[in-house]
Amino acid sequence: MADDAHAAHAPWKRTAAAAGLVDAEGQARPTIFAEMSALAAEHGAINLGQGFPDDDGPAEVLEAAVEAIRGGINQYPPGRGFADLRHAVAEHQQRFYGLDVNPESGVLVTAGATEAIAASLLAFAGPGDEVITFEPYYDAYAAVIGLSGARQVTVRLQSPDFQPVPAEIDAAFSDRTRLVVLNSPHNPTGSILEREHIERIVALAAKHDAVIVSDEVYEHLVYDGRRHVPVAAAAGAAERTLTVSSAAKTFSVTGWKIGWVTGPAALIDAVIAVKQWLTYVNGAPFQGAVATGLRMPDEFFDELRATLQRRRDLLAAGLIDAGFSIAPTAGSYFIVAEPPAALSLGDAATSARALALDPGVVSIPLSAFGRSDGGVSQTALRFAFCKPDDAIAEAARRLQTLRR
Ligand code: PMP
Ligand code: GLN
């Protein structure tokens, strides 16, 4: 078998191969986001694929980072992150959600949400363990679960509203369940996990003594008057939940890679034990700037939400005009859409590449967020609306030409 031959010749790549992170030749597979962004750049297409904003974040936040660099905040910060940021994170959880977080023992600053997720998974899951994710899932979860050696167990989110079926949640838990990864608002579908499901998951996690990792990076991107409610706010959840978030989406600084994880001291200590060997510490001059951002007045957060909601509506209308059928987006940066069947574009991986070339609009195949047998639509595309109005309008205009 190719895998065995490969492993025999390159034993140092065995872990990556087992986790599906390299191709048959042992080359690293680029992420779907990197691949589609490269295609956008190559063909001058409008990039509604990888979720990053074109606009800069708030001037106060950017200025604070510049001042920090000029002011000499350029050496290793403390292992848990600067106290100022840890306190700002705790204040933020109290201000928006009424959650008590201990800034000394209950907050860890990480290299983006990505490292918070990776360190949490590696801290609690290993060979013989099971980790539950909801499918479609953000691709990094599967990659890191693979690296940990644990087994990924998935629960389908059913279109069009992308909620799970209670019986399937029950069936996913076993005595081997060590972790449950939740993500709401959800990438890629834009759904918000209903309260009844969260309560069910918390009760099952308690029964099986599993830890919940709740990825809440889109916490401030919740639309139509709804408000984000963290998983840790559910009854009985706080004692077993690690809540992950990041500056990337809230302050439009995806390149800074400042994230954090909050939770009970014992769980945070376990995550630190891994994090300190991954990156040790990260992003000294950005940490104070993110603290500034977290303390911004309510108007900033309201305006961010209003802007993104307007852009969601603009993209939704444009996709509908182009003949796509769309799933409702309650939060996040994303709309999931099925291309018109009459276009006969083929599977999503094929159609996303074809649309990048003509009419020049990049999206992400939804199938990249799941396994081929996991019930994820093999034709749907994910479009990001964290882009200027004129880019969204032009993308819509281009897609509409397909029907003429
Ligand atoms: N989780 C989800 C659901 C995401 O969409 C992303 C991408 N922004 C991340 C984690 C990674 O966040 P970061 O860039 O802060 O590492
Ligand atoms: N979270 C971003 C998205 O879903 C991409 C992050 C990445 O490129 N890994 O589009």
Side-chain angles (χ1 to χ4, degrees), residues 31 33-34 49-52 138-139 187 218 249 334 364 369 382:
T31 74
F33 307 113
Q50 192 173 29
F52 64 90
Y138 183 56
D139 61 349
N187 180 4
Y218 299 103
K249 308 299 149 74
F334 311 111
I364 304 285
F369 301 91
R382 187 198 79 173

Side-chain angles (χ1 to χ4, degrees), residues 136-163:
Y137 46 79
Y138 183 56
D139 61 349
Y141 307 157
V144 180
I145 294 167
L147 286 174
S148 78
R151 192 168 87 86
Q152 184 182 5
V153 174
T154 60
V155 178
R156 284 179 303 156
L157 298 174
Q158 311 265 13
S159 64
D161 60 348
F162 293 106
Q163 296 296 319

